[in-house]
Amino acid sequence: MSRENATSIDVARRAGVSQSAVSRVFTPGASASRQTVEKVRKAANELGYRPNSLARAMVSGKSRIIGLVVAYLQNQFYPEALEKLSNELQERGYHVLVFLAARTVGNVDDVLDEILDYQVDGIIAASVALSSDLSNRCRIAGVPTVMFNRSQDDLAISAVTSDNYAGGRKVAEFLIAGGHERIAFMAGWEGASTQRDREAGFRDGLQDAGVPLFARGVGNFEFDQARNATRQMFSGDRDTWPEALFVANDHMAFAVMDTLRAELGLNIPDDVSIVGYDDVPAAAWPSYDLTTVRQRTNQMIRATVDILLSEIENEGAAPCQVRIDGPLVLRGSALTAKGK
Amino acid sequence: MSRENATSIDVARRAGVSQSAVSRVFTPGASASRQTVEKVRKAANELGYRPNSLARAMVSGKSRIIGLVVAYLQNQFYPEALEKLSNELQERGYHVLVFLAARTVGNVDDVLDEILDYQVDGIIAASVALSSDLSNRCRIAGVPTVMFNRSQDDLAISAVTSDNYAGGRKVAEFLIAGGHERIAFMAGWEGASTQRDREAGFRDGLQDAGVPLFARGVGNFEFDQARNATRQMFSGDRDTWPEALFVANDHMAFAVMDTLRAELGLNIPDDVSIVGYDDVPAAAWPSYDLTTVRQRTNQMIRATVDILLSEIENEGAAPCQVRIDGPLVLRGSALTAKGK
DNA sequence: ATGAAAGCGCTAACAA
DNA sequence: TTGTTAGCGCTTTCAT
């Protein structure tokens, strides 16, 4: 019983007007007399007519589709961002075509081609590093692109991040103020700008206070790898263990805390202070109660969408780099100056 | 410097062949001589030509886009499913246009219209209940639809779920075998078939053993609501508290456990046994170590995609309902028969 | 195997 | 304000 869709021609015939009149009635900025509008609307309703977005896209050159490249959704930060991005864009009349990319270089390349094939109006690369080669391709294709939660040296591509450097610095200052001496760092994936900037800020903060970095592990932003790195970091004599640890994101911080408590019987924060980065929902759950640097997701999303749409809608818009500062949220996983 | 895309006409001119020859070279099932193929491929590469998916979709009537409606991504189960769905479809040459729907009826309605406007080849409704009215609309529009992790009475729409009823039953039997007497249930959103079926199986399981349901709360699948419902359930005298609790999904189970431990100082499982449903990644994290019913996500995704694509590719394919059984995964959050 | 020609459903000049 | 006309870039008959 699958009846075919009605076209604007069917509606025109039924309403006794021209096909272009129908088009005008369904085109926001167009002009049509009250009479025509009524006749057309009526006929359209009777036939269940709705304009075909694809045909519209072809002729207008605007698909109202945004390609979203995203790498992996394990980290709670991304589903949240995806949800908000999609909502924000939906409200503005755009839709999101999702492309999942493995964290390998070649893959992002293929995916980018597929995206461009769909004539997307813009691209958001969330947590994916774009090589300068790729960003060139986007520019050549004339497709505005914004990187979300990643940045790069090429200033020709817009990027929105939190102020990762400042965040890392805040953590260093906080831990030092808390009276800690053996302070360590657990790194994420080294290819990520977030990782690099957080670590740079953290290290500079320590250095300014004359405190050396006591230990360093690498968890690659993965839960299991963070567990292993933790085991390694806490494997020797007890006096080789750090007493405070900045973990490059919350997702890994949960792994660290679980490992420390379940396997070594340590108390957090009495034996070890832990600080994360992101402030994902679970950071506020009582089991973790994690002190962490908040990413202001709403503001970051808003900025991303604003920039992208302005680049789409006015040709001339210059690319820009936005860094949004976020506060250190104090919870129970790290000793404070007073607490000590 | 944004050079426009090359079209098949440009390639044809450069290769010295007709435009349709170019089309054939880029159309899987078409025929062209070795020579033509070579000439065309060469010219295409030089011009950076790739076929325009939208134009292709218009004329062929196949967009190779699947509309994915999804409600909310807080629950870890959905990002995981989304990731796998998207990957599976990408491998099969389809792409996912995501539509976020609030859990309100009207909204799903609007969203469905927008989806159909994009001439999607199929729809996956993940964790969204489709009214029979809506499913009718899909049928009329001739767009195959599969519900993922939800089912409904209308057998004309395909649905893939885990065997929620059987799962609920397993939990009842397990808790009874564990020697518990005061057994309670924490419900999810009552509009969800998953909630209903899990509860029905659970209740039938209790009843068959002659054990009454000791208490019931409602958490609506939300973390905070589950916390409140927990406080309420554990508010009176200690002998009015349940000693075992089946929570309708893992996401709420975490809230329950956190509340019980942090606010009431209870020990899990010694004071209360907790069982969840889904087996999301965090269920295996040491902080929760949650006994739970596993949803076999991979199998569910596979089935969903298989069914959808077969309905798309062979007109005749009859809708079907698939229920995939999942095991009860024993961890440390509930006493076992031996443990007691 | 190949080219010419007819659209897919729509928007956007252009006249009237 | 309205209708007429010309495409958007492609696939797909239909001849050759």
Side-chain angles (χ1 to χ4, degrees):
Chain A
M1 191 91 335
S2 81
R3 213 180 50 216
E4 283 313 306
N5 283 331
T7 73
S8 59
I9 295 186
D10 302 329
V11 177
R13 220 177 338 246
R14 187 177 189 106
V17 298
S18 77
Q19 182 270 332
S20 24
V22 177
S23 172
R24 286 194 191 96
V25 170
F26 285 93
T27 303
S31 56
S33 71
R34 191 208 249 356
Q35 286 195 3
T36 312
V37 171
E38 272 172 18
K39 281 191 293 187
V40 169
R41 284 245 127 83
K42 180 157 172 289
N45 278 336
E46 290 166 356
L47 283 110
Y49 168 81
R50 308 200 98 230
N52 178 328
S53 297
L54 261 34
R56 179 175 271 182
M58 265 212 50
V59 56
S60 70
K62 263 83 200 53
S63 64
R64 302 197 77 84
I65 296 178
I66 303 297
L68 176 65
V69 195
V70 66
Y72 66 134
L73 300 169
Q74 301 301 335
N75 179 349
Q76 271 201 0
F77 178 69
Y78 293 107
E80 202 186 336
L82 168 58
E83 179 162 359
K84 288 176 179 164
L85 266 173
S86 174
N87 270 326
E88 184 86 21
L89 286 168
Q90 230 167 283
E91 273 170 27
R92 308 241 213 146
Y94 287 83
H95 288 286
V96 173
L97 196 59
V98 172
F99 295 79
L100 255 28
R103 220 163 38 185
T104 50
V105 176
N107 187 299
V108 177
D109 227 279
D110 294 344
V111 157
L112 193 71
D113 281 333
E114 293 176 31
I115 295 183
L116 294 174
D117 292 348
Y118 276 101
Q119 313 299 112
V120 297
D121 290 346
I123 294 177
I124 296 175
S127 74
V128 179
L130 253 40
S131 71
S132 53
D133 179 49
L134 287 184
S135 42
N136 265 330
R137 297 241 316 278
C138 294
R139 210 144 8 123
I140 288 171
V143 180
T145 301
V146 180
M147 300 180 58
F148 175 82
N149 204 35
R150 285 291 182 280
S151 66
Q152 58 171 16
D153 300 330
D154 181 355
L155 297 182
I157 291 260
S158 297
V160 176
T161 60
S162 70
D163 194 338
N164 291 295
Y165 181 87
R169 232 178 208 292
K170 274 180 204 164
V171 176
E173 285 155 13
F174 166 75
L175 289 177
I176 289 165
H180 298 293
E181 286 166 3
R182 303 201 302 269
I183 302 181
F185 177 69
M186 172 81 65
W189 180 55
E190 315 255 15
S193 64
T194 43
Q195 147 60 30
R196 288 199 310 274
D197 296 347
R198 286 167 197 177
E199 178 162 12
F202 185 63
R203 281 175 179 273
D204 286 358
L206 291 184
Q207 187 158 21
D208 286 1
V211 176
L213 182 66
F214 184 74
R216 181 180 192 273
V218 179
N220 276 324
F221 289 143
E222 302 275 3
F223 196 88
D224 288 334
Q225 293 188 49
R227 297 199 66 174
N228 282 332
T230 306
R231 292 184 186 112
Q232 211 159 341
M233 188 178 280
F234 289 79
S235 58
D237 285 346
R238 188 148 186 151
D239 57 359
T240 68
W241 297 359
E243 56 186 21
L245 181 54
F246 173 35
V247 187
N249 76 359
D250 288 356
H251 186 66
M252 290 195 300
F254 303 144
V256 171
M257 293 175 78
D258 276 355
T259 307
L260 257 26
R261 294 193 290 214
E263 296 179 13
L264 285 84
L266 295 183
N267 179 289
I268 295 168
D270 293 335
D271 298 320
V272 192
S273 283
I274 303 289
V275 177
Y277 203 113
D278 281 347
D279 197 22
V280 298
W285 293 1
S287 284
Y288 297 105
D289 195 34
L290 179 65
T291 291
T292 186
V293 180
R294 171 170 298 159
Q295 301 233 54
R296 298 189 192 273
T297 331
N298 290 330
Q299 289 185 32
M300 288 171 65
I301 297 291
R302 177 67 56 96
T304 303
V305 172
D306 282 348
I307 292 170
L308 186 66
L309 297 194
S310 90
E311 289 186 20
I312 290 172
E313 282 153 19
N314 7 296
E315 286 289 311
C320 61
Q321 317 290 120
V322 173
R323 256 193 304 277
I324 291 172
D325 191 45
L328 179 68
V329 180
L330 300 182
R331 297 207 181 89
S333 68
L335 297 177
T336 61
K338 292 178 184 168
K340 182 100 185 184
Chain B
M1 191 92 333
S2 82
R3 212 182 50 214
E4 284 313 308
N5 284 330
T7 72
S8 59
I9 295 187
D10 302 329
V11 177
R13 221 177 338 248
R14 188 176 190 104
V17 298
S18 75
Q19 181 271 330
S20 18
V22 177
S23 172
R24 286 195 190 96
V25 171
F26 285 93
T27 303
S31 58
S33 70
R34 190 205 248 358
Q35 286 196 5
T36 311
V37 171
E38 273 172 17
K39 280 191 294 185
V40 168
R41 284 243 125 84
K42 179 155 173 290
N45 278 336
E46 290 166 359
L47 289 145
Y49 167 82
R50 306 201 100 230
N52 178 329
S53 297
L54 261 34
R56 180 174 270 184
M58 264 211 49
V59 54
S60 70
K62 262 83 200 54
S63 64
R64 303 198 76 85
I65 295 178
I66 302 298
L68 175 65
V69 195
V70 67
Y72 65 133
L73 300 170
Q74 300 300 337
N75 178 349
Q76 272 200 0
F77 179 68
Y78 293 108
E80 201 188 333
L82 168 59
E83 179 162 357
K84 288 176 180 164
L85 265 174
S86 177
N87 270 328
E88 183 84 22
L89 287 168
Q90 231 165 282
E91 275 170 27
R92 305 240 214 148
Y94 286 83
H95 287 287
V96 173
L97 197 59
V98 171
F99 295 80
L100 254 27
R103 221 162 38 184
T104 51
V105 176
N107 187 298
V108 177
D109 228 279
D110 294 344
V111 157
L112 193 72
D113 281 333
E114 293 176 32
I115 295 182
L116 295 175
D117 292 349
Y118 276 101
Q119 313 300 113
V120 297
D121 290 346
I123 295 176
I124 296 175
S127 74
V128 178
L130 255 38
S131 69
S132 52
D133 180 48
L134 287 183
S135 41
N136 265 328
R137 297 242 314 281
C138 294
R139 210 142 11 122
I140 288 170
V143 180
T145 301
V146 179
M147 301 180 57
F148 175 82
N149 206 33
R150 286 289 183 279
S151 66
Q152 58 171 16
D153 299 330
D154 182 354
L155 297 183
I157 292 259
S158 297
V160 175
T161 60
S162 70
D163 194 339
N164 291 294
Y165 180 87
R169 231 178 209 291
K170 274 179 204 165
V171 176
E173 285 155 13
F174 166 75
L175 290 177
I176 289 166
H180 298 292
E181 284 166 4
R182 303 201 304 269
I183 301 180
F185 178 70
M186 173 81 66
W189 180 54
E190 314 255 14
S193 63
T194 42
Q195 146 59 30
R196 287 199 312 273
D197 296 346
R198 287 167 197 178
E199 178 163 11
F202 185 62
R203 282 176 178 271
D204 287 357
L206 292 184
Q207 188 159 23
D208 285 0
V211 177
L213 183 67
F214 184 75
R216 181 181 192 275
V218 179
N220 276 324
F221 288 142
E222 302 275 2
F223 196 88
D224 288 335
Q225 292 189 49
R227 296 200 66 172
N228 283 331
T230 306
R231 293 183 185 112
Q232 213 160 341
M233 190 178 278
F234 290 78
S235 59
D237 286 346
R238 189 148 186 153
D239 57 0
T240 68
W241 297 358
E243 55 184 22
L245 181 54
F246 173 36
V247 187
N249 75 359
D250 288 355
H251 186 66
M252 292 196 299
F254 303 143
V256 170
M257 292 175 79
D258 276 356
T259 307
L260 256 25
R261 293 193 289 213
E263 295 180 15
L264 284 82
L266 295 183
N267 179 287
I268 294 169
D270 293 336
D271 298 322
V272 192
S273 283
I274 304 288
V275 177
Y277 203 111
D278 280 347
D279 197 22
V280 298
W285 294 0
S287 283
Y288 296 106
D289 194 34
L290 179 63
T291 291
T292 186
V293 180
R294 171 169 299 158
Q295 302 234 53
R296 298 188 192 272
T297 331
N298 289 330
Q299 289 185 31
M300 288 171 65
I301 298 292
R302 177 66 56 96
T304 303
V305 172
D306 282 348
I307 292 170
L308 187 65
L309 297 194
S310 88
E311 288 186 21
I312 289 173
E313 283 153 18
N314 6 296
E315 286 289 312
C320 62
Q321 318 290 121
V322 173
R323 256 192 305 278
I324 290 171
D325 192 43
L328 179 68
V329 179
L330 300 182
R331 296 206 183 89
S333 68
L335 297 178
T336 60
K338 293 179 184 169
K340 181 95 184 186

